[in-house]
Amino acid sequence: MESNAANTTSRSAAKKRNYVSNLVFASVFVALAVLLKISFEIYFTPQLRFNFCNVPIMMSGIFLGPIWGFAVGAVTDIVNYLIKPAGAMHWGFTLSSALTGCIPGIIFVLTKKKRKHDKLLFSLLNIANYVILIGGLVLLFQANGLLKFENDLLYIAGTQISWILFAVILLLFAIYALSLIFLLGRTENEKTVIPAYKIIFAVALVEIVCSLILNTNFLADLYGMAALALLPMRLLKSIIVIPIFSFACFALCNLFARYKLQKNK
């Protein structure tokens, strides 16, 4: 009886320590995200901006799990609004921010157990994501009249360009995407704790679900614009920022993971 009581007390104390530890780390991730949002943000238009706020939020989901990631994302958006409001509060963006932390958490929980062909599977998924994004960009530019094919001639925003130049542009996008997968794979070594291929997939999925699908529709609703009109430039931004966010997440996640491993020794 005394042994069972001692075990119960020990488990309760361990859970409490784990909760306190997660709460501390969650607070740090929120503080980092807010700091990055208010100190470094580039505005292209009111509907298009760039910052590194999402990186700490995604890290919270990777390390603390989907529930904590959801909470960190939601709290970050609310705190950002209180410190730096930009118009009326829109709870859709709070949901999107929460999912930014939740989605990576779900991915890493579901793939916690290592499988033999994980690297190949995720690499193929990452390539497929970029092919879909680049193909979608071409189709959206065409649907919005920014890209036209007339009498075997090619026009971008009303300016005629050669097919060779167009092919070179698409090739550069492909090289940009593939170099991400190749370079991040090359940087992995025996000290790597969080594999690059999972991070790339998580970042891409967050961009697709939260930025391209949810935020585009919320912005269209907020500004009274057609979502299809907003998508081309937002899709172009996503194609560019996915590698940047992936590099940042890969470096910071492995740095943080090695710190936690050393602390637990």
Side-chain angles (χ1 to χ4, degrees):
M1 292 289 291
E2 291 181 0
S3 176
N4 289 336
N7 288 335
T8 302
T9 304
S10 177
R11 285 196 295 269
S12 177
K15 284 183 179 179
K16 188 175 181 180
R17 285 196 300 272
N18 187 56
Y19 174 80
V20 172
S21 175
N22 285 347
L23 186 61
V24 170
F25 284 125
S27 301
V28 171
F29 286 129
V30 170
L32 282 172
V34 171
L35 181 63
L36 288 170
K37 170 78 171 179
I38 63 177
S39 63
F40 179 80
E41 184 168 44
I42 301 173
Y43 278 78
F44 299 103
T45 69
Q47 302 85 27
L48 190 66
R49 62 189 72 174
F50 171 79
N51 60 63
F52 285 97
C53 177
N54 283 355
V55 173
I57 297 174
M58 288 187 283
M59 288 177 64
S60 70
I62 291 170
F63 286 103
L64 306 179
I67 295 174
W68 282 100
F70 189 95
V72 166
V75 171
T76 297
D77 185 74
I78 293 169
V79 172
N80 277 331
Y81 177 77
L82 294 174
I83 294 175
K84 192 180 177 182
M89 181 69 176
H90 194 302
W91 291 105
F93 296 117
T94 306
L95 172 63
S96 179
S97 183
L99 289 175
T100 298
C102 184
I103 290 171
I106 292 172
I107 291 170
F108 275 78
V109 166
L110 293 178
T111 60
K112 192 173 183 180
K113 186 178 178 181
K114 289 185 178 180
R115 297 176 181 85
K116 185 178 179 181
H117 301 295
D118 270 359
K119 187 171 185 178
L120 176 62
L121 176 62
F122 276 99
S123 295
L124 291 173
L125 286 172
N126 290 329
I127 292 170
N129 278 339
Y130 250 94
V131 170
I132 292 169
L133 288 173
I134 294 171
L137 182 65
V138 173
L139 291 175
L140 280 170
F141 267 65
Q142 190 175 4
N144 282 272
L146 297 171
L147 180 66
K148 293 182 180 179
F149 305 96
E150 293 179 359
N151 301 321
D152 295 328
L153 297 175
L154 179 63
Y155 297 88
I156 294 182
T159 304
Q160 183 183 341
I161 68 166
S162 69
W163 285 95
I164 294 174
L165 179 59
F166 182 65
V168 168
I169 292 171
L170 291 181
L171 182 62
L172 287 174
F173 273 117
I175 291 171
Y176 181 66
L178 292 173
S179 63
L180 156 72
I181 298 168
F182 176 75
L183 289 174
L184 278 181
R186 293 278 291 182
T187 56
E188 290 187 357
N189 53 45
E190 66 278 359
K191 293 183 179 180
T192 300
V193 182
I194 312 293
Y197 52 85
K198 282 188 186 180
I199 290 176
I200 298 170
F201 181 74
V203 171
L205 194 59
V206 165
E207 273 295 310
I208 291 168
V209 173
C210 299
S211 180
L212 294 178
I213 297 175
L214 294 180
N215 285 352
T216 300
N217 282 285
F218 296 147
L219 286 166
D221 177 62
L222 191 64
Y223 289 97
M225 301 174 68
L228 195 62
L230 294 173
L231 262 178
M233 296 311 296
R234 292 184 61 79
L235 182 52
L236 179 60
K237 187 207 80 169
S238 292
I239 290 171
I240 294 170
V241 303
I242 287 172
I244 298 170
F245 285 173
S246 296
F247 271 107
C249 270
F250 177 73
L252 293 173
C253 280
N254 280 285
L255 187 66
F256 187 70
R258 286 195 289 270
Y259 163 76
K260 286 192 74 176
L261 286 173
Q262 289 176 356
K263 187 181 177 183
N264 293 333
K265 284 183 180 179

